[in-house]
Amino acid sequence: MASRARGGGDGGADEGERSADSAPYPKVTPEQVAELALDLPETAEENPFGPGVDVYKVAGRIFAILSPDTDPPSVSLKCDPALSLHLRDRYPAVTPGYHLNKKHWNTVALDGTIPPDELDDLVAHSYSCVVAGLPKATRDRLLLLTPPVAPPAP
């Protein structure tokens, strides 16, 4: 099992580019999602399912599963159940979590149909959902390190 402690990335040369298939927003790359996840306090990246699936954890609990090699790439994120349903209605790229509890997880296709700022908020929301379920001492420590995050707008 590979593991990498929190760090950053440069976002790559494709950052902000629109694809030829005229997606309404610039496509967020898997590298950008990884950078967002790893910038959150005490995040670790692991590959427990082998290469091609990057798992992001806080305090040993998963908050994001990135599949960079699928077409399109996708990320599965934990989400408030009511917000999950709203996002699935609003964006065709948001579907019930693949091989996950569909009440609490969404899989988001990185196809350029979701605004990049909204995807940023969804990664932060997923992290916050997991932190909220941690033991009090761990949760309190992480909350001191984490800037306040407003839930994504419905």
Side-chain angles (χ1 to χ4, degrees):
M1 171 180 352
S3 179
R4 186 174 84 196
R6 141 178 209 270
D10 65 2
D14 296 338
E15 188 169 358
E17 286 184 10
R18 292 194 185 204
S19 69
D21 62 354
S22 68
Y25 303 100
K27 285 185 181 180
V28 176
T29 67
E31 294 79 15
Q32 289 169 311
V33 172
E35 183 177 353
L36 285 168
L38 290 169
D39 281 345
L40 295 165
E42 298 187 21
T43 294
E45 178 184 12
E46 299 178 359
N47 300 102
F49 308 118
V53 180
D54 303 327
V55 174
Y56 298 90
K57 295 181 176 184
V58 58
R61 299 218 180 138
I62 297 171
F63 71 92
I65 303 170
L66 181 63
S67 300
D69 299 331
T70 58
D71 186 23
S74 65
V75 61
S76 294
L77 300 166
K78 192 153 194 183
C79 192
D80 170 78
L83 180 59
S84 286
L85 295 174
H86 172 76
L87 292 167
R88 292 173 198 167
D89 286 341
R90 186 170 180 191
Y91 300 110
V94 179
T95 58
Y98 183 68
H99 287 299
L100 298 163
N101 180 330
K102 289 158 183 24
K103 180 178 179 182
H104 296 281
W105 288 85
N106 283 329
T107 296
V108 181
L110 303 178
D111 62 1
T113 61
I114 298 177
D117 289 347
E118 179 125 21
L119 193 56
D120 294 357
D121 292 346
L122 292 174
V123 172
H125 175 70
S126 180
Y127 178 91
S128 295
C129 287
V130 171
V131 168
L134 294 172
K136 183 173 176 17
T138 305
R139 180 176 62 238
D140 289 348
R141 178 175 48 77
L142 288 168
L143 289 174
L144 289 174
L145 300 171
T146 308
V149 176

